[in-house]
Amino acid sequence: MGAPGVGKGTQADLLNQRLGACHLSTGDVFRAAGSRGECEQSPAMQEAMGYMRRGELVPDSTVWEMVRERAECLRCGGGFILDGFPRTLGQAESLKQLLDQEKLALTAVVNYELPTSEIVERLSGRRTCEKCKAVFHVTQRPAKVEGLCDRCGGKLFQREDDLPESIKVRLEAYDRSTAPLIEFYQKAGLLVRVAAAGSPDEIFEITLTDLKSRRAAQLAA
Ligand code: AP5
């Protein structure tokens, strides 16, 4: 969890590379669906694209349908990382019901924290690979060859919701709908707070150490 642009996707990608866990990013799923031709998109998906462009949250029912279609991710042998989901109390409650049915439990909910000014800086400079979705930053994490992905050579692009008008709406949506989840997961004893200032590798090491010690404590209990 964490505000837009705090670095959730970057950390999920690093965790995924190290742990071999399934990485389910609802934002990536929506963007992939949006890159298909309009006639291949369901009316619910076309509507979802409008919400995304404006920086608003997609309705819970559409998000939940996308997640349920990918529920096999939860049974991945290397575990699973949910990135950008849940984002409302309704989504968190639906997720809990599904996990209970599957007899699965979350190890932790990591909440990344950063001042708003740095978040805006990260979002404005972000560039994403159109093929493999790897994430770069024009100054903080530049690609070796400008405009091309280090990993697969794909073209880098700027997300349309990274323009100033959408950033403002996304930050407001986060404060209104997603920040209350912090208390929800705190009460469930799952919350891990990580200060997201520092390099991606530094933040990754802090995250991994925390997750490992929680996992060891859960296995010992
Ligand atoms: P989504 O794609 O989930 O976007 P987001 O939450 O707004 O988060 P971002 O992907 O923008 O940022 P991030 O925290 O992953 O940061 P990143 O690692 O890229 O969702 C997009 C939209 O889809 C939503 O607005 C909504 O409409 C819809 N949606 C998705 N899920 C939904 C749900 N569950 N319910 C309802 N609607 C939903 O990093 C950002 C930049 O910073 C990059 O350039 C990166 O290189 C750089 N960076 C990262 N870490 C560091 C560091 N440590 N130091 C310096 N730079 C760094």
Side-chain angles (χ1 to χ4, degrees):
M1 283 178 50
V6 75
K8 302 180 294 294
T10 301
Q11 293 303 316
D13 189 38
L14 292 169
L15 281 165
N16 172 258
Q17 286 176 43
R18 181 80 70 94
L19 305 176
C22 198
H23 174 195
L24 178 56
S25 155
T26 40
D28 282 350
V29 171
F30 284 128
R31 276 183 289 280
S35 63
R36 290 192 215 121
E38 266 198 20
C39 53
E40 288 178 63
Q41 292 171 18
S42 65
M45 193 48 68
Q46 288 181 18
E47 196 195 350
M49 294 304 118
Y51 283 100
M52 278 183 81
R53 270 191 294 275
R54 293 190 295 274
E56 295 166 14
L57 292 185
V58 175
D60 281 357
S61 53
T62 310
V63 175
W64 184 238
E65 204 179 307
M66 299 286 277
V67 171
R68 242 196 9 221
E69 281 172 9
R70 288 161 182 80
E72 77 279 5
C73 271
L74 306 180
R75 291 185 283 273
C76 169
F80 58 89
I81 301 164
L82 300 175
D83 168 10
F85 173 86
R87 244 170 159 108
T88 63
L89 283 172
Q91 292 177 18
E93 276 152 11
S94 301
L95 174 66
K96 180 158 184 354
Q97 278 175 18
L98 179 66
L99 292 175
D100 288 348
Q101 272 168 29
E102 299 279 334
K103 300 200 175 9
L104 291 166
L106 297 176
T107 306
V109 175
V110 184
N111 187 44
Y112 292 103
E113 300 173 344
L114 197 68
T116 307
S117 55
E118 283 187 55
I119 285 177
V120 173
E121 218 291 299
R122 283 187 186 180
L123 286 175
S124 326
R126 170 167 53 194
R127 298 293 181 269
T128 307
C129 172
E130 64 179 14
K131 261 174 104 188
C132 75
K133 314 296 170 224
V135 172
F136 299 85
H137 189 279
V138 286
T139 55
Q140 317 260 15
R141 238 187 164 200
K144 289 187 188 116
V145 179
E146 199 186 329
L148 292 181
C149 176
D150 292 355
R151 217 178 272 173
C152 74
K155 266 199 205 151
L156 302 183
F157 72 99
Q158 182 168 29
R159 277 171 42 178
E160 57 184 335
D161 63 349
D162 280 347
L163 300 171
E165 320 79 80
S166 299
I167 292 178
K168 187 168 173 281
V169 179
R170 284 162 69 197
L171 289 170
E172 285 165 2
Y174 173 79
D175 281 339
R176 193 172 51 249
S177 305
T178 310
L181 286 182
I182 294 171
E183 196 186 337
F184 179 89
Y185 284 118
Q186 176 111 51
K187 280 192 185 147
L190 287 167
L191 196 73
V192 174
R193 304 174 83 135
V194 175
S199 72
D201 288 338
E202 284 163 353
I203 298 162
F204 174 62
E205 287 309 324
I206 296 170
T207 307
L208 196 59
T209 305
D210 232 317
L211 290 179
K212 278 184 180 163
S213 58
R214 287 181 74 86
R215 187 76 184 129
Q218 282 172 354
L219 290 173

